[in-house]
Amino acid sequence: MSMATRTDPRSPASHVADSHDLIRVHGARENNLKDVSIEIPKRRLTVFTGVSGSGKSSLVFDTIAAESQRLINETYSAFVQGFMPNLARPEVDVLDGLTTAIIVDQQRMGGDPRSTVGTATDANAMLRILFSRLGTPHIGPPSAYAFNVASVRASGAITVERGAKKAVKATYSRTGGMCPTCEGRGSVSDIDLTQLYDDSKSLSEGALTIPGYSMDGWYGRIFTGCGFFDPDKPIREYTEKELHDLLHKEPTKIKVEGVNLTYEGLIPKIQKSMLSKDVDALQPHVRAFVERAMTFTACPECDGTRLSAGARSSKIRGSSIADACAMQISDLAEWVRGLDEPSVAPLLAKLRHALDSFVEIGLGYLSLDRPSGTLSGGEAQRVKMVRHLGSSLTDVTYVFDEPTTGLHPHDIQRMNSLLLRLRDKGNTVLVVEHKPEVIAIADHVVDLGPGAGTAGGSVCFEGTVEGLRAADTVTGRHLDDRAALKETVRKPSGTLEIRGATAHNLRDVDVDIPLGVLTVVTGVAGSGKSSLVHGSIPAGEGVVAVGQGAIRGSRRSNPATYTGLLDPIRKAFAKANGVKPSLFSANSEGACPTCNGAGVVYTDLAMMAGVATTCEDCEGKRFEASVLDHHLGGRDISEVLAMSVAEAEEFFGAGEAHTPAAHRVLVRLADVGLGYLTLGQPLTTLSGGERQRLKLATHMAEKGGVYVLDEPTAGLHLADVEQLLGLLDRIVDSGKSVVVVEHHQAVMAHADWIIDLGPGAGHDGGRVVFEGTPADLVAARSTLTGEHLAAYVGA
């Protein structure tokens, strides 16, 4: 039968396998979503927009990506699932047509001191193999070049039990590359003794300046009763032995007033009690002390390279692995291109591709030895992307969380082409994003809203970008917003001089930051903005720095506990009801005994996924029933925690619940645009932009003269940026100075003074390429920022 006469009722194009081209979501109710039903086209780029807090992440991450992840986990055996994180099924009726989801989010990368850009992306592993093959002299296997592996030598007898027992002599050795002095950390810590005591005073005069070490309590009795030194003699007159006993004495049993106690020198004691703890988890006054007393210096043995002398001695073409990791990645890529060794050709090709991906994604200015904890949120997200660029997977769903955070308009075009490349390989790309430049390249747009929190959670628009422009939604109306340059700019009241700044890639920068105005520091990613602002503005009195770092907090922490708002509220409740304040804390006496004040009960089902269920006794209110009988202004404490900031502001502002201390905090929260947050919402559920604004609200109470903000528009919708600019104006008009590191053109246009760094990133940056007003920058168009700003304001 010839091919021509063969009739097939189904042409290949209409094969049933090709008909699944939608991801269908029906009845999504996660967090604030109100029964959302949408259809997302597969193998296309879909952008999710909406004001901050409108439910974008709830839909994309907590519903679609979470269910995809859970279904994949279910394909493993029950035994393996027992070791995996337990995911509950999202609140949704139907989820159809899901594919494997790969989530690339903005969670900061590991804060482990031994985690670097190289170890996080496998580039380091490939270099280690390369050096173990080609390095001269040859010092051992790849682990010999790893600063995470310590050298071990052991010998002894092993007893083998077979018939008659016999002992076999064995030696074991492993060559690692870890520097023995700093244990692969690159820096050693030292304690500044002047911060521990004032040596002109005696102990009884209160020489110790360590928080909690007053002479009134037990410490006083121990120091006076131990007999190792005279408590009335000034410390500077101590003999060498007395000083050693005060600072370094090993734990010694002593008897004071008939009580058995242990005396231990100050340094080992504070090492255990304060210095070994996570700095961010300490109380503020203890944290301030630790930051003052601890000095970190580059390890003298390995010069900060983290590697042992052996690992540094082995070289390829004159460069050791430490030199390779210290090179800027764009230079390292060139160096690797120059190696031509047939025996490791496939490895070289893979390494080249990884390094080129860094350059392409706009991270060519990093070096592989950069600690991953020092990357910004946007940089961390792009480092994670490096892994996926070379992947040969297709038909998967990539989920991105504001991939343009921390990117200059110049770099956004590169990011757009990467997103489109992933789509063109046949993948479904879902992006949560606010920037109009990214929304413009979408095949499909889903706009959530109309408001934030309880006022959001509905789909306002689905369709093309053109359709969104015409639609009467908040995003549609603001999509073509262009901030105009200000007619007049404020005059500075003084200057903050920075001279010879050399942090990271700064090239001996001299710059005057005007005070009393809104100063914006701009430049492409990696040009040295953060180094200039955080490294050179002295963080002394009156400087309030608000970064993007995550807020440390458990699922018990919420905006009310973090901002200190709960204290005045508890006191007001206690006063109104004649009981003690600790009853009104869900982490203290008033907690529901069944769920310990968490509001949910976590049930571990051994081999199956564990579940979190609302506590039946307190119905998720987190308090004991008797506590809820106490009222203030007709509301109980759980009803107050369920209020939004805006409602609570009204409630505590006047009437019988009038509490000025609580009202002041609430006004600040509303000021930074968080009026929609509920007071009891766990901090772990806040987005990056919300966290930063929460910090800003907390810091506004401090007596600061200079506010330093790091990209405060991160995670803000176009409509919210206007409110933020209003807030910055109010801060400046109240006589403060504001310095903002920012890429958002609306903020640049609104500035009184712009400092532009560049011209490029890494060692091509680090210079001031422009200082002046935004109007001058647009007129000159001498820098990348100037060109983009001119195009933005339509000049």
Side-chain angles (χ1 to χ4, degrees), residues 627-702:
V627 175
L628 301 181
D629 293 339
H630 299 301
H631 288 81
L632 175 70
R635 302 286 186 99
D636 64 42
I637 183 80
S638 72
E639 288 171 330
V640 168
L641 287 176
M643 288 180 182
S644 69
V645 168
E647 285 172 67
E649 188 187 347
E650 213 170 291
F651 179 71
F652 288 108
E656 63 174 298
H658 181 57
T659 313
H663 188 251
R664 279 197 295 275
V665 180
L666 290 161
V667 169
R668 290 202 301 273
L669 285 171
D671 262 354
V672 295
L674 293 177
Y676 60 89
L677 277 191
T678 52
L679 302 186
Q681 182 177 342
L683 285 189
T684 45
T685 62
L686 299 187
S687 69
E690 287 169 339
R691 285 189 196 134
Q692 192 183 8
R693 299 205 296 290
L694 187 61
K695 280 194 213 164
L696 177 59
T698 313
H699 284 309
M700 276 168 63
E702 293 176 19

Side-chain angles (χ1 to χ4, degrees), residues 93 198 278 387 460 576 665 759:
D93 297 333
D198 175 350
D278 177 8
R387 294 204 144 167
C460 301
V665 180

